[in-house]
Amino acid sequence: MTLKYLVRKIVFYVVALWAAITLNFALPRMMPGNPMLVLVAKFKGQINPHALSSYAQLFGLDQHTSILTQYFQYIGQVFHGNLGYSFGLYPETVTQVLMQSLPWTLFLLGTSTVISFVIGTLLGIVSAWRRGSVLDSVAPTVFTLLGAFPYFWLALVALYFLAFRLRWFPIGHAYSDTVMGWSWANLPDILYHAILPALTIVVTSIGGWLLGMRNNMITTLSEEYVKVAKAKGLANTRVMLRYAARNAILPNITSFALSLGFILSGALLTEIVFSYPGLGYELFQAVGNEDYPMMQGALLLIAIGVLVANFLADLVYVRLDPRARRAQ
Amino acid sequence: MSVLCEICDLSVTYFGDVDVKVIEGLNMTIEEGEILGLAGESGCGKSTLAMALTRLLENGEISGGRILFQGQDLVRASEEELRKIRWSRISLVTQSAMSSLNPVLTIGEQIVDAIQAHTNTKTREAWKRAEELLSIVEVDPGRVHSFPHELSGGMRQRVMIAMALALQPDLIVMDEPTTALDVVVQKQVIRKIKELQAKFGFSVLFITHDMSLLLSIADRIAIMYAGRLVEIGTCQEIRTAPRHPYTRGLLNSFPSVFERRELTGIGGSPPSMLAPPNGCRFHERCTLVTERCRTEVPRVTNLSATHAAHCHLLEEGVTSG
Amino acid sequence: MQTELTVQEGANVQPEASPVLTNVSTRTQGRRKNPLLGTVRRFFQNKKAVVGASLITLFIVLAIIAPLLTHLSPNATSFLPLQAPSGAHPLGTTSLGQDVFSQFVFGTRETLSVAIIAGAGTTVLSMLVGMVSGYVGGLMDEVLQLVTNVFLIIPGLPLVIVLAAVLPKSGDFTMVMVIILTGWAWGARVLRAQIMAMRSLPYVESAKMGGESMFSIVFREIMPNMFSLIFANLLFSIIYAVLTESGLQFLGLGDLKAVNWGTMLYWADTEGALLSGAWWWFVPPGLAIALFGAGLALLNYAVDELTNPKLRSQSRRRRRLQRS
């Protein structure tokens, strides 16, 4: 049982990784007439031969190598972290650029997703526990409505009213022009810049967690073991958290893992609106610059990031559900 | 014997599109140290009574009457008073032990939870007590660290019983505790319950639809039909001299080891509680129905100090037995 | 997410539900002449359902009668730029001298048709995969589940961004295909779970014993009972389609000459509508996306409540209890 579960999980991650890499390999080769040829021709003479051959491998410009050989070369390169040189930011490599933007995305997205998950789940627990209360009739409806708002538009409006008109918050970016990047001394400035984008992500994504958790809780509350817990004379909060919520959160963790890709998509748009220097913004810049190596690299990194986050969620799940944990 | 719990004129109503009174005007006592059996077809209100007694009704509310438990009215008790009474004085064993145990906590944690909710027992002591309790029901004490899914069905039911004993309650409500078990395991569990009851002297309200099981375990038996009590008496009285036509029907619907007879059962099915019949609720299915049964609710007729039934035939002194 | 949870609850129909209450519900339904009528009546009693359905109807009507609402062309650039709303221009003009109201109503048409087609396509694909995976089972199921999970986890939007950048012309057709391709997995998973739960129900078993074909079992025995779930899935898919479509267009990855809510926002953003304070330009399309999405979400929520008694009746019961 458990071994089968483990094998299935491993197969899943291997296949997902393989699919992401293969997709990346195939995308530029699907382009009609390979615009890369034109671009590389344009750059010829300006870039060194090493970079040139790297492009050739990444995008299949070398007509003499078979597609299969190209494929294995590509996989080899990816595993060495070699994603080629950026077009737009040459001579920086794609890996270098991405490593600069990754921390910003992790910081903004990670924090706001955790905050929204925690608040949404708690609100869901309490709404279900107090069926029919004011909280239960207001919170799910309000956050469902907010969840229907497009992230990017809410970001735009927030930017316009709170930053541009009221000047409560800075207009975009991760830090002020006067400070240079990340340091502990800059932390207040960085937090100040992160509040508004984080807030739009939190506000729009709470609804999903809330509703999911509320529905799980309602199912769980009618379970026999919750009734027995009440019959045991345990304190209300103990029944609610240790018996009901502890079980109800399990499916929510699975959905958390699986909807990460979805949430991430919305959040990347928020980065773009706020010119926040994370992966989403980088990807968007790359599209504007026709910087194909960068697009490829960003997509791959985002996919890997989601896979890693999924893996972590799986670990948490196994930790919380003894039925998935114990080998018997 | 003295009275442990007295249920007076109890009514329970479920609220829905239409309100449904699932228990109406029920009177019953539970003596100290007895096993009181409660029988009836599905939907007659047995389980509702169990939930009303523990004040754990979910879809409905007690709409009238009193439940005097050791002199205290549970219907008017506050949440905090109830919390204190629960498990320390009234505990519960439900039908399916699988669903009654929290799947993500070890059985030890669940027993310790119950102990520590009512006493100031130190954690290590509480765990020791949990192990003791398991050995009382003949489960390997090392199993305290097991999760419910790692135990067999019979073991889980024993764990439930161990947990119910944790605080030495005065009353254990057992709602179909053996229905989900196979016959052999069922026998073992029943024997264990009787043995423990004799040893510790708690009272049991034993709810089941299985009359033959009740006859073998209960001291007294109460029969419910469509939300009302129809007959109550000692095990002996119910077995040898059932007076209500419904009780007779129930007794005739399973094979007896004592005698050879034709199985007749009861024709028809229980009425919808949405629109229960007027008069005696059993009249639609009763073979001895009279005009009075259709309009007038039968009052209680005391047949002996321990035996009583609700039937017009008895009021009129007709004994067709 | 919410759709998935519905499944679990649906699958969890309590075997031990009080027979008394079961009796009640069958009786109540039996008393009404037409069960459909009852559903319709309950639908209109549900506030969320009514508000949601009204919002959606409003936008659909707007899309249909667009030419009747304005005689101005959405593409004409012949008006004074950046005019605030007035009698001549109910929603003002853009910095390029276009009439925002005309753009908005014609944009509704374009956005809604893409969203509804893409949403329907997504649902159909989800249904096919989910049904086959859940009903056939075995190796086929393992493989399809794997593919579904991979598609679920690969982040849609970045992929769509790259696809849109890489593919030659991002017309409506490309848009629809891209949305279907990245959006089907969630529904497939939900429907599969429900089929798995229903596959072993007695009436399906008996149909199998009776020798009905798989096609007939799935489409005649199982599907009708999953109507609400499929409908919820359709609503969810349309929300996804509107958000994805508008998101891409907002990033300038759609057809920039087309008029729809997303490109309106793109031009408003690029032309600095925010900085010049032209709220009438960027508020209507965004609010429309939000309201249309909210309408769908409310309807979805209501369908949940109407089809899942566990979610529905409690609040009413509680209210009564509080009164007494």
Side-chain angles (χ1 to χ4, degrees):
Chain A
M1 211 21 209
T2 315
L3 189 69
K4 197 177 162 195
Y5 175 81
L6 204 70
V7 169
R8 190 180 289 177
K9 279 285 166 202
I10 291 170
V11 169
F12 168 65
Y13 283 111
V14 171
V15 171
L17 187 64
W18 167 79
I21 294 174
T22 306
L23 193 72
N24 255 307
F25 172 79
L27 276 179
R29 288 168 179 79
M30 269 163 41
M31 285 185 278
N34 208 337
M36 296 298 305
L37 277 173
V38 185
L39 280 164
V40 171
K42 201 172 82 187
F43 276 110
K44 218 165 197 163
Q46 299 174 39
I47 54 180
N48 68 38
H50 178 68
L52 211 61
S53 80
S54 133
Y55 286 140
Q57 279 194 5
L58 281 172
F59 300 106
L61 304 181
D62 191 347
Q63 310 289 338
H64 303 295
T65 356
S66 78
I67 192 96
L68 207 67
T69 320
Q70 289 181 21
Y71 184 53
F72 287 115
Q73 278 178 350
Y74 179 76
I75 290 181
Q77 289 208 336
V78 167
F79 276 99
H80 285 100
N82 179 4
L83 299 172
Y85 292 86
S86 159
F87 275 177
L89 302 164
Y90 184 83
E92 278 196 86
T93 66
V94 169
T95 318
Q96 282 171 336
V97 177
L98 291 180
M99 284 306 129
Q100 283 161 22
S101 24
L102 180 66
W104 293 113
T105 295
L106 284 180
F107 166 65
L108 179 64
L109 216 73
T111 325
S112 41
T113 306
V114 169
I115 292 176
S116 119
F117 182 77
V118 170
I119 298 179
T121 303
L122 283 176
L123 281 175
I125 293 172
V126 180
S127 314
W129 186 255
R130 304 206 177 136
R131 269 316 267 296
S133 66
V134 177
L135 177 81
D136 182 44
S137 50
V138 171
T141 317
V142 166
F143 283 105
T144 310
L145 291 184
L146 282 174
F149 280 67
Y151 278 43
F152 60 92
W153 185 70
L154 206 70
L156 266 182
V157 173
L159 201 60
Y160 174 67
F161 285 106
L162 302 181
F164 180 67
R165 295 298 285 271
L166 296 171
R167 297 183 185 282
W168 288 353
F169 296 100
I171 303 180
H173 303 288
Y175 43 84
S176 308
D177 297 337
T178 47
V179 304
M180 289 301 291
W182 163 257
S183 79
W184 282 109
N186 296 341
L187 192 62
D189 185 61
I190 287 168
L191 286 179
Y192 181 48
H193 280 77
I195 291 176
L196 204 51
L199 205 65
T200 60
I201 298 175
V202 168
V203 161
T204 44
S205 59
I206 279 183
W209 308 129
L210 192 162
L211 223 60
M213 192 60 190
R214 178 174 174 274
N215 287 2
N216 290 348
M217 272 294 276
I218 288 168
T219 312
T220 312
L221 284 175
S222 61
E223 291 284 351
E224 210 57 22
Y225 54 76
V226 174
K227 197 190 275 175
V228 170
K230 283 183 202 159
K232 282 203 259 182
L234 301 182
N236 266 333
T237 45
R238 203 164 173 82
V239 178
M240 176 173 90
L241 296 175
R242 192 168 155 93
Y243 286 77
R246 180 72 171 66
N247 281 286
I249 203 167
L250 294 174
N252 232 28
I253 288 174
T254 312
S255 0
F256 179 78
L258 288 173
S259 45
L260 262 178
F262 190 70
I263 301 164
L264 185 96
S265 299
L268 292 181
L269 278 170
T270 310
E271 283 188 2
I272 296 169
V273 173
F274 283 94
S275 313
Y276 202 84
L279 292 175
Y281 186 64
E282 210 57 69
L283 180 67
F284 181 62
Q285 293 286 323
V287 170
N289 296 336
E290 298 190 300
D291 189 345
Y292 292 99
M294 191 60 99
M295 273 188 242
Q296 252 193 325
L299 183 59
L300 187 64
L301 187 60
I302 290 169
I304 292 174
V306 173
L307 281 178
V308 170
N310 246 273
F311 180 67
L312 293 178
D314 269 350
L315 289 185
V316 171
Y317 188 93
V318 170
R319 186 84 205 86
L320 287 179
D321 190 348
R323 284 160 297 186
R325 180 165 74 226
R326 286 269 174 122
Q328 187 68 284
Chain B
M1 272 198 274
S2 59
V3 173
L4 173 71
C5 178
E6 191 180 358
I7 298 167
C8 309
D9 200 26
L10 184 75
S11 295
V12 176
T13 307
Y14 279 158
F15 301 101
D17 288 340
V18 183
D19 296 350
V20 187
K21 223 171 193 182
V22 283
I23 292 183
E24 199 176 293
L26 188 105
N27 288 295
M28 195 196 283
T29 57
I30 302 171
E31 311 280 336
E32 265 174 27
E34 74 163 343
I35 298 184
L36 174 63
L38 180 60
E41 286 164 293
S42 302
C44 69
K46 312 183 293 275
S47 295
T48 303
L49 181 63
M51 288 302 108
L53 205 56
T54 43
R55 292 291 316 273
L56 288 169
L57 286 167
E58 267 161 11
N59 307 315
E61 196 72 341
I62 292 174
S63 46
R66 285 177 303 163
I67 300 172
L68 294 175
F69 183 80
Q70 294 174 332
Q72 184 180 9
D73 186 359
L74 298 186
V75 177
R76 276 149 199 89
S78 71
E79 262 310 306
E80 184 53 25
E81 283 167 344
L82 284 172
R83 196 191 70 70
K84 282 183 181 147
I85 292 169
R86 284 176 186 151
W87 222 258
S88 65
R89 286 156 71 189
I90 304 177
S91 65
L92 179 70
V93 176
T94 54
Q95 178 173 356
S96 162
M98 182 71 232
S99 51
S100 302
L101 291 167
N102 186 342
V104 300
L105 297 182
T106 63
I107 56 179
E109 285 174 304
Q110 302 187 48
I111 297 175
V112 168
D113 253 7
I115 295 172
Q116 293 193 323
H118 297 281
T119 58
N120 289 324
T121 319
K122 290 212 176 66
T123 304
R124 195 192 295 165
E125 299 281 301
W127 278 89
K128 253 178 82 183
R129 173 92 180 115
E131 288 177 11
E132 269 170 43
L133 286 163
L134 288 187
S135 48
I136 289 177
V137 294
E138 287 165 29
V139 170
D140 171 17
R143 287 291 199 162
V144 278
H145 300 293
S146 294
F147 288 97
H149 70 277
E150 295 166 333
L151 305 177
S152 70
M155 260 154 103
R156 282 195 289 264
Q157 199 57 277
R158 283 158 187 269
V159 169
M160 274 307 291
I161 293 168
M163 192 151 81
L165 293 173
L167 295 150
Q168 294 174 323
D170 305 304
L171 173 65
I172 303 183
V173 177
M174 296 192 173
D175 188 2
E176 311 250 7
T178 58
T179 310
L181 304 175
D182 65 63
V183 187
V184 179
V185 181
Q186 182 173 348
K187 282 234 169 69
Q188 293 169 350
V189 170
I190 293 289
R191 202 181 309 136
K192 198 75 218 173
I193 292 173
K194 282 196 92 159
E195 182 194 317
L196 292 170
Q197 196 262 339
K199 189 167 161 193
F200 295 106
F202 49 82
S203 307
V204 176
L205 177 64
F206 195 100
I207 298 171
T208 180
H209 59 267
D210 184 347
M211 275 300 279
S212 59
L213 178 62
L214 272 194
L215 291 174
S216 71
I217 187 177
D219 298 315
R220 285 195 307 143
I221 293 176
I223 312 285
M224 275 183 83
Y225 183 78
R228 289 192 188 143
L229 187 71
V230 297
E231 185 163 2
I232 187 165
T234 63
C235 188
Q236 175 75 13
E237 283 163 338
I238 296 290
R239 191 175 71 218
T240 56
R243 300 303 289 276
H244 195 283
Y246 179 64
T247 313
R248 287 191 204 145
L250 275 185
L251 287 165
N252 279 331
S253 48
F254 68 93
S256 164
V257 286
F258 303 112
E259 52 183 319
R260 247 187 98 79
R261 57 177 158 74
E262 205 183 331
L263 295 183
T264 44
I266 310 161
S269 52
S272 160
M273 295 303 289
L274 191 69
N278 289 330
C280 171
R281 290 200 169 158
F282 188 60
H283 78 252
E284 288 170 340
R285 298 168 75 191
C286 187
T287 47
L288 306 169
V289 61
T290 65
E291 202 40 54
R292 199 172 153 207
C293 301
R294 296 182 215 276
T295 50
E296 202 178 311
V297 180
R299 274 168 304 159
V300 63
T301 309
N302 290 314
L303 300 154
S304 77
T306 51
H307 195 182
H310 296 254
C311 180
H312 287 307
L313 299 175
L314 303 172
E315 288 171 31
E316 286 155 7
V318 183
T319 48
S320 59
Chain C
M1 208 172 327
Q2 56 212 82
T3 17
E4 159 152 84
L5 303 164
T6 325
V7 182
Q8 293 174 341
E9 297 209 25
N12 229 338
V13 180
Q14 274 182 297
E16 308 152 51
S18 157
V20 178
L21 287 184
T22 327
N23 265 353
V24 174
S25 61
T26 39
R27 266 290 187 101
T28 355
Q29 271 167 16
R31 232 191 296 151
R32 286 184 196 127
K33 291 258 156 51
N34 184 347
L36 194 71
L37 219 68
T39 315
V40 170
R41 209 181 60 182
R42 271 202 322 216
F43 180 87
F44 280 105
Q45 280 167 352
N46 188 311
K47 236 185 282 169
K48 294 187 191 88
V50 172
V51 174
S54 319
L55 278 172
I56 295 165
T57 314
L58 176 78
F59 281 108
I60 291 177
V61 168
L62 212 61
I64 293 172
I65 63 164
L68 303 177
L69 293 174
T70 175
H71 58 276
L72 302 177
S73 159
N75 292 313
T77 51
S78 42
F79 312 107
L80 277 175
L82 285 184
Q83 294 298 299
S86 64
H89 304 288
L91 288 176
T93 61
T94 71
S95 66
L96 304 167
Q98 297 148 317
D99 178 62
V100 176
F101 181 71
S102 164
Q103 287 210 322
F104 179 72
V105 288
F106 282 99
T108 304
R109 213 172 218 206
E110 166 113 10
T111 299
L112 254 54
S113 39
V114 170
I116 291 171
I117 292 170
T122 309
T123 307
V124 170
L125 187 59
S126 303
M127 254 163 63
L128 281 177
V129 177
M131 304 246 155
V132 173
S133 179
Y135 195 81
V136 177
L139 186 68
M140 177 76 125
D141 180 34
E142 289 287 330
V143 172
L144 282 178
Q145 247 190 300
L146 187 67
V147 174
T148 309
N149 283 341
V150 168
F151 265 90
L152 252 182
I153 186 175
I154 286 183
L157 194 85
L159 178 63
V160 171
I161 291 178
V162 173
L163 275 179
V166 164
L167 292 174
K169 259 277 164 240
S170 300
D172 286 345
F173 179 73
T174 327
M175 191 69 86
V176 169
M177 291 328 271
V178 155
I179 291 172
I180 293 179
L181 194 71
T182 54
W184 62 273
W186 192 263
R189 196 181 140 89
V190 170
L191 293 173
R192 175 188 170 273
Q194 180 71 358
I195 293 232
M196 293 292 280
M198 293 185 73
R199 197 167 62 162
S200 52
L201 290 183
Y203 80 95
V204 178
E205 288 283 349
S206 70
K208 233 186 287 179
M209 302 284 231
E212 273 190 62
S213 71
M214 173 198 147
F215 181 85
S216 137
I217 291 175
V218 169
F219 286 90
R220 293 196 19 219
E221 309 286 343
I222 296 183
M223 277 259 281
N225 290 296
M226 291 177 59
F227 178 75
S228 68
L229 192 63
I230 294 172
F231 185 63
N233 194 38
L234 175 69
L235 296 176
F236 192 69
S237 301
I238 299 178
I239 298 181
Y240 174 74
V242 174
L243 288 179
T244 310
E245 179 195 1
S246 317
L248 281 180
Q249 288 157 347
F250 168 69
L251 292 179
L253 294 169
D255 178 4
L256 291 180
K257 285 189 213 81
V259 176
N260 48 48
W261 293 344
T263 42
M264 283 178 78
L265 285 171
Y266 168 77
W267 287 115
D269 190 42
T270 336
E271 294 288 313
L274 284 167
L275 301 183
S276 50
W279 54 267
W280 57 86
W281 190 0
F282 68 86
V283 168
L287 205 59
I289 299 172
L291 287 179
F292 186 63
L296 292 165
L298 280 176
L299 201 57
N300 195 354
Y301 202 38
V303 169
D304 243 20
E305 286 189 334
L306 288 173
T307 52
N308 190 341
K310 233 189 234 173
L311 292 180
R312 170 169 43 104
S313 42
Q314 188 107 5
S315 55
R316 189 191 295 174
R317 265 186 229 136
R318 278 290 155 85
R319 270 206 301 278
R320 286 205 193 198
L321 284 184
Q322 280 164 356
R323 245 188 284 138
S324 61

